[in-house]
Amino acid sequence: QVHVVESGGGLVQAGGSLRLSCAASGRSLRGYAMGWFRQAPEKEREFVTAINWSGGTTYYTDSVKGRFTISRDDAKNTVYLQMNSLKPEDTAVYYCAADRVMIGKASRNVDYWGKGTLVTVSS
């Protein structure tokens, strides 16, 4: 019974930066693993990054390592995705996810999904 809502998407030029936010309601995100997935047009949803319940462990898919940073602020009940050095191939709808156990690249059925926010990177 966690509702997560993404925001911060938009149009940005290649090489630019964007910060996505995932705000939760219904209950606290404390104790939940959080993550971000994305889905480009005509492609399947893919894992991007995740952070464990304490914020002490993060994982990134290879294509975004060194460019994206996931963080969480439990006091604000919000998770962030800082995206730097954006590339056209980063264009996708980005989805926030919350899970009571774990989120990783093999995750399929997480407990809660947001409805997504569109990020478009122009070349």
Side-chain angles (χ1 to χ4, degrees):
Q1 202 168 352
V2 176
H3 296 90
V4 292
V5 179
E6 305 93 337
S7 63
L11 176 64
V12 64
Q13 292 183 327
S17 298
L18 208 59
R19 189 181 76 162
L20 305 183
S21 298
C22 174
S25 62
R27 66 176 62 188
S28 174
L29 291 179
R30 292 182 176 87
Y32 284 81
M34 303 295 298
W36 291 90
F37 293 74
R38 67 186 181 186
Q39 186 168 18
E42 307 300 323
K43 295 184 179 180
E44 296 186 1
R45 188 173 300 185
E46 67 171 338
F47 169 81
V48 178
T49 181
I51 187 167
N52 78 328
W53 68 270
S54 70
T57 302
T58 59
Y59 182 80
Y60 300 89
T61 192
D62 288 343
S63 63
V64 307
K65 287 181 178 178
R67 300 189 299 119
F68 290 12
T69 302
I70 187 172
S71 62
R72 64 190 300 160
D73 187 341
D74 288 342
K76 297 181 179 179
N77 221 29
T78 302
V79 177
Y80 303 97
L81 180 63
Q82 179 66 46
M83 305 183 294
N84 299 325
S85 301
L86 283 163
K87 304 175 180 179
E89 51 262 44
D90 294 320
T91 296
V93 176
Y94 284 72
Y95 297 90
C96 180
D99 194 89
R100 290 168 291 181
V101 180
M102 179 69 182
I103 294 178
K105 64 189 311 179
S107 296
R108 293 183 178 180
N109 297 313
V110 301
D111 291 335
Y112 304 101
W113 289 100
K115 294 183 178 180
T117 185
L118 177 63
V119 172
T120 302
V121 184
S122 62
S123 60

